Amino acid sequence: MADSPSLSTGFTSQSIQNTLHQVATSLPTPRKQNIACDACRNRKVKCHQRVGQEKCSHCQTKGYPCTFFVQQATSEKKRGTGSTRRRGSSISSDQVQTSLLAAPTTPATPTTPRLPATFNHPSHPVGTSGHQSHSLSTRVSDDQNNIMQLILYLLTPEDPSQMPTYLSNGGYRGYRHTGHEKNYVSWGEIGRKLEDQVFRTEFALDLVEVYFQICHTRMPLLSPDEFRNDLRKCIPSNLLAQLTMPVSFLQAPQIHSADPDRTVHPALLAIVLAWGAKFSEHPILVQDRTENGGRSCIAQTLLSKSREVAEAEKVHRVATPDHIVTALLMEPLQSQNPNDPDGTRHFWVSCAIRHLFDLQINHRSSKDNFVNGELKGTLRLAWWIAVLGDAYCAAFFRKKCVIEDEDYNIDVLDEEQTEAHHAGNMNGTSSAQSQYHSWMMAAHAMARCARLMARQLWRPVTEAEGIPAEQVYHIAKLLDNWRDEYLTRVGVPSNFQAEWDFVAAVSACSSDAQFHVLWVVLYNAIDEFGIREFNDATRSGQSPSRLVNYAQIEAVKNRVSDEALRGALRIAGLAGVLTSNGYLRLDPNVLHFAIYAAGVLLARLGRPEVRACVAGLQQYGYAYEEAFSQAAEIEQLFNENGSGLLPDTQFVDPFTHS
């Protein structure tokens, strides 16, 4: 996969201040305010105040005390004195719109550790009352304290009786009765190690590196050097000097950003740490899984708290590049168990799509509105990842697509990229770019097919009446066309070479499996809902065999059944090879559904090849805990439909046999 454009996470706090300054200087001159004392204000008479006298002429004549309490209270209310005002930014392609959102201050319990009351992050700058302003050194100190407190919050075990709650103003409440340090007892030796700030910081940085080594290669939405640089600025220099881990973070090159105050977004940091915990082999996590039957309490805590931080930071409400990336990274982390209340609900990818709509990334004309080429490239890549995620999530989990075909008019490749791709004029990284462009075009074509399937198969009328035979023909034809045009280009080739690297092997297997599982999805829908023409004949008391087109409908049903079985066997073979190489332990939830769906179908048919799916899900379980339960479910289903317990099976290598 080609290197992604680096991420520029939006407009800087300085540009927001400049915009506010321009708006303020363009406002009309305010009218002159008439200041009256309380007595004159109550009597609604003109207040004559003379220089050098303590009382106005009216109060002096009547002997009244000349006070200004009402005027002072009114002025302070208008200025917002004593309250915290929070600016939330909504970024369009050509301007920044800002608004002031009042954020109530929540008092902290004396024994409660909490983050500072302000979170001076560029995406959510916090205004202070009056004319106070922080110096650069003060802002840097605040950012460092905020991020270090955030890491402490994320890596603190949850008290079952007092669930911690992350506040939008940068703080959190919880542990009212015992204090957070006593909760580390629930993590035993693990907790005692994480109490040390140096060890805790090194552990967090290790999770960041794991994310970039494993997850970033599949969804390259971040610039590693830029992210490391933003995070490094949040670590105090005295603590940074104590870090001895030989991680690339310490040697990351300095990035001279246009905004020297820019720091890492808290929600983005939280989700990166949650990703890293899924795949890290850090001794702390190995011990954690060993003590909890293969499941990680730390990884689950990080995932739960990353959702809380994202919600508190208004990731789902405010359209910024950081929030789009955070939402897209959040969706694949969710459980794929439909009975899990925290499972995938198509929520986060829908949020990212709404933000992309707000920024008009789906319009071809929007590319001319981006001066920052890196930002344009990042948002375009985010758009296509959202398109794929929306289509697959809808087809696999029976959701309604957010994106439809007519919702965008941008091309997978720009005009100049398309010409270069067809002409083969790609110098430099020509091979990588060509492979990436082929993959993108194939993935988009498959996404459109999956989108059509979701739109036609998961409608209430389809559930009630069945699938029209015409739609079955159409979907089968689209899948055939995709196979003919793309499978040999992006799928697993017959001359597979063992020296393929992880990314190349897993990318090819993913494209291959995603195509074959769509046949399984189509077969399951026909098996559950039936063909509408057959259902109508049965309901009217006729035999379906008497229909004029009975033979044609029956033929396409049989073909879908054959393709589904062939696809399930193909996926089982791919899973067997990937499992034997340990690759599924490192797959960020791309092949999960395909392996589970293929395993269920093979178990229903009593096919012993299901063993590969079970083994694959068991390897998946180290990162996605619901896979353990899914593997047990498939084993039980096979035992009910097969001939006894699952045997150890030798599989045909799918790389040498199609």
Side-chain angles (χ1 to χ4, degrees):
M1 183 177 293
D3 294 337
S4 67
S6 60
L7 174 63
S8 176
T9 54
F11 295 85
T12 66
S13 57
Q14 184 63 43
S15 66
I16 294 178
Q17 294 172 7
N18 292 338
T19 302
L20 291 175
H21 174 73
Q22 294 174 2
V23 172
T25 55
S26 64
L27 294 176
T29 304
R31 65 181 179 87
K32 183 178 180 180
Q33 298 294 324
N34 186 19
I35 302 176
C37 68
D38 296 337
C40 294
R41 183 182 296 274
N42 291 333
R43 294 175 58 87
K44 298 182 179 180
V45 297
K46 187 173 183 179
C47 185
H48 296 280
Q49 300 178 15
R50 297 180 181 179
V51 180
Q53 294 185 357
E54 296 181 356
K55 296 183 178 182
C56 67
S57 58
H58 175 76
C59 292
Q60 189 174 12
T61 302
K62 299 293 184 179
Y64 295 154
C66 194
T67 61
F68 294 85
F69 293 126
V70 174
Q71 175 65 28
Q72 181 180 3
T74 303
S75 299
E76 290 184 355
K77 182 177 181 181
K78 290 181 179 179
R79 290 195 304 266
T81 303
S83 65
T84 301
R85 291 175 181 261
R86 181 186 179 101
R87 276 200 306 270
S89 61
S90 177
I91 305 176
S92 65
S93 58
D94 56 352
Q95 64 180 355
V96 180
Q97 296 177 347
T98 58
S99 62
L100 297 179
L101 305 176
T105 302
T106 304
T109 307
T111 60
T112 300
R114 58 172 297 162
L115 300 181
T118 58
F119 223 107
N120 293 323
H121 187 271
S123 296
H124 298 291
V126 180
T128 55
S129 61
H131 300 284
Q132 297 177 354
S133 62
H134 292 288
S135 65
L136 174 61
S137 60
T138 303
R139 288 197 300 271
V140 171
S141 177
D142 289 344
D143 290 335
Q144 291 176 348
N145 190 34
N146 292 339
I147 294 301
M148 299 313 297
Q149 288 292 326
L150 174 64
I151 293 175
L152 172 63
Y153 164 69
L154 294 172
L155 293 176
T156 300
E158 298 176 350
D159 186 343
S161 63
Q162 296 292 335
M163 182 67 71
T165 302
Y166 181 89
L167 302 181
S168 59
N169 65 355
Y172 68 92
R173 59 178 180 270
Y175 321 116
R176 292 181 178 84
H177 304 301
T178 61
H180 81 282
E181 67 281 353
K182 296 184 180 180
N183 286 332
Y184 276 115
V185 176
S186 64
W187 281 359
E189 183 181 351
I190 298 173
R192 288 191 292 271
K193 290 181 179 179
L194 288 173
E195 282 185 292
D196 180 70
Q197 186 183 36
V198 175
F199 183 88
R200 184 171 61 245
T201 304
E202 289 183 342
F203 177 61
L205 298 182
D206 179 78
L207 298 184
V208 171
E209 294 308 308
V210 171
Y211 166 80
F212 283 116
Q213 292 169 7
I214 297 175
C215 310
H216 175 74
T217 58
R218 304 301 307 280
M219 201 155 43
L221 285 166
L222 295 173
S223 168
D225 289 340
E226 186 175 340
F227 187 91
R228 294 186 183 106
N229 191 67
D230 293 342
L231 179 56
R232 183 167 45 196
K233 289 189 292 186
C234 298
I235 301 178
S237 56
N238 61 336
L239 178 59
L240 194 62
Q242 301 179 56
L243 302 180
T244 58
M245 284 185 58
V247 295
S248 58
F249 170 84
L250 300 176
Q251 291 84 31
Q254 293 284 348
I255 303 295
H256 297 286
S257 173
D259 178 18
D261 300 343
R262 172 184 166 76
T263 57
V264 66
H265 191 288
L268 193 55
L269 175 60
I271 198 63
V272 166
L273 294 181
W275 270 108
K278 288 284 189 181
F279 302 99
S280 174
E281 294 293 341
H282 191 283
I284 285 290
L285 289 168
V286 172
Q287 180 183 354
D288 184 24
R289 295 188 187 98
T290 302
E291 295 177 356
N292 294 282
R295 292 170 169 82
S296 172
C297 292
I298 295 178
Q300 188 58 42
T301 298
L302 279 169
L303 176 57
S304 176
K305 291 185 177 181
S306 66
R307 279 195 298 260
E308 196 170 354
V309 173
E311 292 169 0
E313 290 293 328
K314 306 297 187 296
V315 167
H316 55 298
R317 292 177 54 188
V318 182
T320 68
D322 271 341
H323 290 177
I324 292 170
V325 173
T326 300
L328 290 177
L329 292 177
M330 183 74 73
E331 187 67 54
L333 278 181
Q334 310 309 305
S335 168
Q336 293 197 8
N337 181 0
N339 298 322
D340 189 344
D342 290 330
T344 180
R345 295 292 183 271
H346 205 188
F347 174 76
W348 292 105
V349 68
S350 300
C351 295
I353 292 169
R354 289 198 304 271
H355 294 340
L356 289 163
F357 281 160
D358 289 343
L359 303 187
Q360 297 186 345
I361 307 302
N362 54 322
H363 292 258
R364 183 179 299 171
S365 59
S366 66
K367 68 178 183 179
D368 299 328
N369 298 329
F370 287 95
V371 178
N372 188 330
E374 294 180 353
L375 176 61
K376 181 185 76 170
T378 297
L379 293 178
R380 282 295 177 91
L381 178 61
W383 168 260
W384 293 119
I385 290 178
V387 168
L388 302 183
D390 177 55
Y392 293 148
C393 193
F396 295 164
F397 303 109
R398 304 192 176 193
K399 306 292 183 181
K400 180 177 175 59
C401 285
V402 179
I403 300 175
E404 297 293 347
D405 293 348
E406 60 272 14
D407 287 337
Y408 58 98
N409 64 350
I410 60 176
D411 299 321
V412 176
L413 305 180
D414 292 336
E415 294 180 2
E416 59 272 17
Q417 292 177 325
T418 303
E419 294 176 0
H421 175 71
H422 289 302
N425 299 326
M426 297 213 175
N427 47 19
T429 58
S430 58
S431 177
Q433 287 188 358
S434 179
Q435 292 176 5
Y436 175 73
H437 294 153
S438 296
W439 179 86
M440 278 295 298
M441 290 188 292
H444 181 235
M446 190 186 299
R448 294 189 65 180
C449 184
R451 190 186 304 153
L452 173 67
M453 292 176 63
R455 184 165 57 242
Q456 298 297 332
L457 300 181
W458 314 135
R459 298 183 300 175
V461 64
T462 301
E463 181 181 358
E465 301 178 3
I467 308 170
E470 182 181 358
Q471 289 299 330
V472 179
Y473 300 147
H474 185 45
I475 294 172
K477 181 62 175 178
L478 289 177
L479 292 175
D480 286 337
N481 292 341
W482 192 94
R483 185 208 310 270
D484 296 338
E485 185 171 358
Y486 296 110
L487 186 57
T488 57
R489 294 162 57 184
V490 300
V492 177
S494 58
N495 59 341
F496 169 75
Q497 299 296 325
E499 59 267 17
W500 268 19
D501 60 12
F502 166 75
V503 175
V506 178
S507 296
C509 291
S510 299
S511 299
D512 207 304
Q514 299 289 50
F515 162 72
H516 285 98
V517 80
L518 291 180
W519 286 107
V520 177
V521 171
L522 180 59
Y523 168 80
N524 290 336
I526 295 175
D527 184 60
E528 182 175 353
F529 304 140
I531 302 295
R532 178 179 297 180
E533 287 78 359
F534 286 0
N535 294 345
D536 290 342
T538 301
R539 281 192 289 264
S540 63
Q542 298 179 1
S543 173
S545 60
R546 303 191 60 167
L547 294 175
V548 175
N549 56 348
Y550 171 78
Q552 186 180 6
I553 298 176
E554 193 66 24
V556 75
K557 278 188 59 179
N558 293 334
R559 172 137 193 281
V560 171
S561 177
D562 293 341
E563 291 289 352
L565 176 58
R566 186 180 296 110
L569 292 173
R570 174 76 168 180
I571 294 170
L574 296 172
V577 173
L578 293 175
T579 303
S580 64
N581 286 279
Y583 283 171
L584 291 182
R585 174 68 182 87
L586 307 175
D587 181 55
N589 226 4
V590 177
L591 286 157
H592 189 167
F593 176 83
I595 295 175
Y596 171 69
V600 170
L601 179 58
L602 293 175
R604 287 173 54 193
L605 299 176
R607 298 293 298 248
E609 293 89 348
V610 73
R611 165 57 66 185
C613 297
V614 172
L617 289 173
Q618 288 173 342
Q619 190 173 103
Y620 245 116
Y622 290 99
Y624 297 93
E625 299 173 357
E626 68 272 14
F628 284 132
S629 301
Q630 292 172 335
E633 173 194 342
I634 291 175
E635 281 191 303
Q636 181 179 357
L637 186 60
F638 175 84
N639 293 335
E640 294 173 355
N641 296 279
S643 55
L645 298 177
L646 282 171
D648 291 329
T649 306
Q650 297 295 327
F651 299 98
V652 176
D653 190 340
F655 299 109
T656 57
H657 294 80
S658 299

